């Protein structure tokens, strides 16, 4: 019987080769990389100490990224960052990225070539599945479990069932990877992929570059998914060749793989989608948003939508225009490298000229921590991934989610609009 | 292992934001954290739970933000086991690693009512509600082992000791 991408990747990482990788079974495996940020790292370090940890089993498998409280918004945040720094120094963690030296974890780690096709990646953060854009199996994990991996270099996984999403057709204008996953969320709901691997393939995949694939995989967890993986194609291979610092294995499903379910999406029929408050599955086409949803803030950025492709999309809309007087607009490149690239292309200057605030990479406004948090009663449009009550600041704020084109167009209009109507 | 207590009945898609508000995430003391469990969403919850009680909930229990303080706080409050139609996977894993058993049973979730006497055998998957028998998924052996040790911390300690001995 054939295997899905998730099954193949797990099988290659088994500790005991005789174990069977079948959906529902619990298997023990070694991961290729583990990822901590400054929100979960400090808690995991405590578990590590309680386990009697002194030395990290394989320090080079560990990535520590300062992004949530970076730059520190408060003394408490500074304390979290300090914990990260001292752990990195004490344990000899090479892949430590401080403020000004990295960016947001899920964009940064692949950019640095630290993960690639066929890898098994665990992270303390729920959006670790973003690695699926690079044909890797990424998944969020318990913080104690992450500490355990630092101790004994192994962990356990329940083998997920897989769902196959077959994409075909030519994508319509202003449609991005974000719309693919929002469409999935509309169809599946917030628990429609619970425990499963969402696997994206078909000729339509070629319509999305590597950056846009991050937008797809980033939000599989919003449907309950354990991971989301895009099948490997020429673009994956070209990216891996140019970027990966470790050996990689392009991994695709067998033709006779067994899926829990199969879904078919015609990209030519897809349109920009928007998730309304207060759930990422409360999705409608942008054209169904009634005119007059006035915006106090538009936020463009996060671990999957602060890519150079997003910044170019934003610039294509903002060029020569000004953002609305009563709407504050924030644009956050996801990494320092993307920031510099955008500068070299003149995008940053265009953003500032249009009246947007541009900041150093940070999670800040995405989780309502700082750098653009919302007040009671405010309404925002953001290219982030969650809009639960209280997610982006005050519980009385409302957040609409969508792609970078819609965000940029809405920033100019001061209300949610279809970029085609600008 | 057999757990006994009374049912604390909850619904579908109970999220972690509702269990423990973001502003309490810096609390490390278990007893202190326990006081704030479901503070705004089910104000009398912390008061009515007796040590040993079990939550019986619907689907997608523990969805939303992956925060360890949620299962940690429930355990500190005295919850001995959670039975649900399904769990959010990060929550499931965080709870197991902290030594709090998670049992899947749509049958029990549908049948249970608030306050009922409940007995769960995690090894056989048998659940009794006021003496009447229902089926649940038994815990996989490896997970049962972690639970028996009170979580992954002691399990790792044992594993490390065993490896050191083997190497010596
Ligand atoms: S950008 Fe947002 S979703 Fe991504 S890791 Fe940071 S807080 Fe989480």
């Amino acid at each position: 019987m054939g295997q899905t991408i998730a099954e193949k990747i797990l099988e290659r990482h088994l500790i005991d080769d005789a174990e069977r990788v079948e959906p529902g079974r619990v298997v023990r495996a070694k991961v290729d990389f583990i990822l901590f940020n400054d929100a979960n790292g400090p808690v995991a370090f405590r578990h590590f100490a309680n386990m009697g940890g002194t030395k990290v089993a394989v320090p080079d498998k560990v990535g520590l990224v300062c992004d949530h409280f970076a730059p520190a918004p408060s003394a408490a945040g500074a304390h979290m960052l300090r914990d990260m720094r001292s752990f990195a120094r004490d344990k000899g963690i090479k892949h430590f990225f401080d403020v000004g030296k990295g960016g947001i974890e899920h964009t940064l780690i692949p950019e640095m070539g630290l993960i690639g096709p066929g890898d098994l990646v665990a992270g303390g953060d729920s959006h670790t599945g973003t690695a699926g854009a690079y044909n890797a199996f990424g998944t969020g994990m318990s913080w104690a479990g992450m500490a355990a991996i630092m101790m004994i270099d192994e962990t356990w996984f329940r083998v997920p069932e897989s769902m196959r999403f077959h994409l075909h057709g030519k994508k319509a204008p202003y449609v991005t990877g974000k719309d693919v996953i929002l469409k999935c969320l509309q169809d599946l709901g917030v628990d429609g992929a619970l425990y499963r691997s969402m696997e994206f393939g078909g000729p339509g995949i070629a319509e999305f570059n590597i950056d846009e694939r991050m937008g797809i995989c980033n939000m599989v967890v919003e449907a309950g998914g354990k991971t989301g993986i895009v099948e490997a194609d020429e673009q994956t291979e070209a990216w891996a060749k140019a970027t990966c610092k470790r050996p990689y294995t392009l991994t695709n499903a067998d033709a006779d793989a067994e899926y829990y379910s199969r879904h078919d999406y015609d990209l030519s029929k897809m349109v920009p989608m928007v998730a309304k408050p207060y759930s990422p599955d409360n999705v409608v086409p942008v054209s169904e948003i009634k005119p007059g949803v006035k915006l106090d803030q538009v936020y463009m950025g996060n671990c999957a939508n602060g890519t150079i492709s997003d910044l170019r999309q934003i610039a294509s809309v903002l060029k020569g225009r000004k953002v609305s007087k009563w709407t504050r607009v924030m644009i956050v490149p996801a990494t320092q490298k993307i920031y510099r690239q955008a500068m070299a292309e003149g995008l940053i200057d265009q953003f500032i000229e249009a009246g947007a605030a541009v900041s150093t990479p940070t999670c800040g406004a995405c989780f309502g921590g700082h750098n653009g948090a919302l007040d009671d009663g405010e309404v925002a449009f953001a290219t982030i991934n969650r809009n639960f009550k209280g997610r982006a600041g005050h519980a009385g704020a409302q957040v609409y989610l969508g792609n970078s084109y819609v965000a940029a167009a809405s920033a100019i209009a001061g209300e949610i609009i279809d970029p085609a109507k600008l | 292992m057999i757990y006994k207590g009374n049912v604390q009945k909850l619904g579908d898609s109970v999220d972690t934001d509702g269990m423990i508000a973001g502003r309490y995430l810096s609390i490390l003391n278990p007893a202190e954290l326990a006081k704030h469990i479901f503070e705004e969403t089910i104000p009398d919850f912390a008061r009515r739970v007796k040590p040993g009680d079990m939550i019986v909930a619907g689907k997608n229990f523990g969805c939303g933000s992956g925060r360890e303080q949620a299962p940690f706080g429930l355990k500190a409050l005295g919850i001995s086991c959670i039975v649900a139609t399904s769990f959010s996977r990060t929550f499931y894993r965080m709870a197991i690693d902290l030594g709090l058993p998670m049992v899947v049973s749509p049958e029990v979730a549908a049948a249970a009512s608030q306050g009922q006497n409940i007995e769960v055998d995690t090894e056989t998957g048998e659940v009794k509600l006021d003496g009447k028998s229902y089926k649940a998924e038994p815990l996989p052996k490896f997970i049962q082992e972690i639970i028996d040790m009170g979580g992954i911390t002691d399990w790792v300690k044992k594993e490390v000791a065993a490896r050191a001995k083997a190497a010596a």
Side-chain angles (χ1 to χ4, degrees):
Chain A
M1 191 186 74
Q3 286 182 309
T4 69
I5 304 177
E7 288 160 9
K8 283 190 182 177
I9 294 181
L10 280 176
E11 188 166 87
R12 278 203 301 271
H13 291 82
L14 290 180
I15 300 218
D16 175 0
D17 287 338
E19 269 190 300
R20 283 210 323 270
V21 175
E22 261 172 24
R25 288 183 93 95
V26 171
V27 297
R28 287 165 78 162
K30 270 193 200 308
V31 303
D32 296 296
F33 203 77
I34 52 173
L35 183 53
F36 294 96
N37 62 36
D38 49 329
N40 54 53
V43 179
F45 304 156
R46 255 176 237 124
H47 285 298
F48 182 74
N50 288 341
M51 288 168 182
T54 48
K55 262 179 54 206
V56 171
V58 190
D60 289 357
K61 273 192 187 180
V62 180
L64 302 179
V65 184
C66 298
D67 56 11
H68 277 62
F69 304 106
S74 62
H79 191 86
M80 303 297 257
L81 296 175
R82 196 167 74 175
D83 274 1
M84 294 286 277
R85 236 164 260 135
S86 39
F87 192 84
R89 200 179 287 137
D90 295 352
K91 312 297 179 209
I93 308 293
K94 180 164 79 185
H95 306 304
F96 165 64
F97 302 94
D98 210 333
V99 180
K101 299 189 179 90
I104 304 180
E105 53 193 305
H106 307 302
T107 321
L108 179 71
I109 294 303
E111 180 189 281
M112 300 298 299
L114 295 172
I115 60 164
D119 276 351
L120 183 57
V121 184
D125 188 84
S126 64
H127 289 107
T128 308
T130 312
Y134 304 90
N135 191 232
F137 182 126
T139 194
M141 186 174 284
S142 71
W143 304 345
M146 295 279 290
I149 300 177
M150 287 200 286
M151 294 287 296
I152 57 172
D153 189 29
E154 71 161 82
T155 190
W156 58 271
F157 292 98
R158 178 157 133 167
V159 180
E161 291 177 302
S162 302
M163 299 165 86
R164 163 92 182 178
F165 296 82
H166 182 76
L167 311 183
H168 57 93
K170 247 193 118 42
K171 74 173 178 194
Y174 303 121
V175 168
T176 74
K178 191 87 165 179
D179 303 299
V180 172
I181 194 67
L182 286 173
K183 178 74 187 141
C184 290
L185 275 153
Q186 182 188 44
D187 294 345
L188 301 172
V190 286
D191 66 346
L194 202 55
Y195 283 100
R196 302 196 190 101
S197 165
M198 293 173 72
E199 305 193 352
F200 301 88
I205 276 302
E207 291 283 297
F208 301 107
N209 68 20
I210 289 279
D211 286 351
E212 287 185 283
R213 297 176 189 186
M214 287 178 69
I216 301 178
C217 295
N218 182 249
M219 289 180 75
V220 294
V221 67
E222 267 60 68
K226 178 172 198 143
T227 189
I229 313 174
V230 175
E231 68 182 18
D233 65 358
E234 283 123 47
Q235 291 187 58
T236 320
E237 192 169 10
W239 172 85
K241 253 196 197 135
T243 321
C244 283
K245 299 216 174 81
R246 297 187 9 255
Y248 55 87
T249 314
L250 300 169
T251 308
N252 283 332
D254 295 318
D256 60 344
E258 268 191 42
Y259 295 97
Y260 170 84
S261 58
R262 289 173 183 268
H263 309 258
D264 185 278
Y265 287 110
D266 181 351
L267 297 175
S268 68
K269 297 213 173 84
M270 221 170 247
V271 293
M273 307 294 275
V274 172
K276 302 191 289 183
Y278 286 104
S279 182
D281 67 351
N282 191 12
V283 174
V284 295
V286 65
S287 56
E288 279 178 29
I289 299 279
K290 287 198 194 76
V293 182
K294 299 275 182 225
L295 299 170
D296 296 296
Q297 179 165 300
V298 173
Y299 176 74
M300 292 173 264
N302 92 343
C303 47
N305 294 97
T307 68
I308 193 68
S309 301
D310 285 276
L311 300 184
R312 287 175 187 149
Q313 290 165 2
I314 295 164
S316 74
V317 177
L318 290 188
K319 198 167 184 194
R321 295 176 162 127
K322 296 273 184 215
V323 306
S324 167
K325 180 169 163 77
W326 299 109
T327 305
R328 28 184 219 277
V329 178
M330 317 259 324
I331 302 174
V332 183
T335 67
Q336 293 291 79
K337 188 175 170 197
I338 294 169
Y339 202 158
R340 294 187 76 185
Q341 173 74 25
M343 232 161 14
E345 293 181 19
L347 309 181
I348 302 293
D349 198 50
Q350 276 179 42
F351 297 159
I352 297 174
E353 175 68 28
V358 183
S359 98
T360 196
T362 175
C363 288
C366 177
F367 77 108
H370 56 104
N371 208 53
L374 300 168
D375 191 15
D376 193 7
E378 288 197 314
V379 180
F381 192 95
T383 60
I384 62 174
N385 41 40
R386 287 192 178 130
N387 58 351
F388 296 120
K389 271 190 182 216
R391 170 68 182 178
H394 198 284
Q398 295 188 10
V399 182
Y400 291 77
L401 311 174
N403 76 30
S404 292
Y405 290 119
V406 181
S410 301
I412 291 160
E415 61 180 274
I416 300 174
I417 61 158
D418 185 340
K421 298 216 174 92
L422 194 68
Chain B
M1 199 114 106
I2 295 176
Y3 299 84
K4 291 177 186 170
N6 291 309
V7 170
Q8 296 290 347
K9 189 81 200 285
L10 299 175
D12 285 338
S13 294
V14 177
D15 74 275
T16 52
D17 274 298
M19 278 179 218
I20 184 82
R23 63 181 175 279
Y24 298 129
L25 295 185
S26 55
I27 298 177
L28 297 171
N29 179 302
E32 191 56 33
L33 203 56
K35 281 191 212 156
H36 301 293
I37 289 292
F38 287 121
E39 189 174 70
E40 281 154 8
T41 40
I42 316 172
D44 69 331
F45 190 84
R47 257 174 292 128
R48 74 175 191 227
V49 169
K50 305 250 169 341
D53 279 4
M54 283 175 234
I55 289 175
V56 179
K59 58 179 188 173
N60 207 17
F61 186 82
C63 64
S65 169
R67 53 181 61 161
E68 202 180 88
Q69 292 85 350
F72 187 66
L74 287 172
K75 195 182 174 198
L77 190 60
I79 296 292
S80 66
C81 174
I82 303 177
V83 184
T85 306
S86 63
F87 292 95
S88 136
R89 52 163 296 278
T90 324
F91 183 90
Y92 179 90
R93 181 145 199 169
M94 284 182 168
I96 296 290
D97 282 353
L98 295 174
L100 181 60
M102 304 277 104
V103 175
V104 176
S105 175
E107 207 178 297
V108 173
S113 51
Q114 175 65 26
Q116 261 182 324
N117 200 281
I118 180 168
E119 201 180 303
V120 177
D121 185 334
T122 52
E123 224 160 289
T124 62
E126 189 186 16
V127 176
K128 285 189 191 138
L129 288 169
D130 285 342
K132 197 170 167 224
S133 191
Y134 296 88
K135 276 228 70 59
E137 287 176 24
L139 284 185
K141 205 171 145 276
F142 179 60
I143 288 177
Q144 182 70 53
E145 206 181 307
I146 293 175
I147 294 289
D148 289 347
M149 303 208 57
I152 201 165
T153 299
D154 283 351
W155 184 89
V156 169
K157 278 189 190 164
K158 191 189 88 178
E159 187 74 17
V160 169
R163 286 184 191 193
K165 208 169 149 202

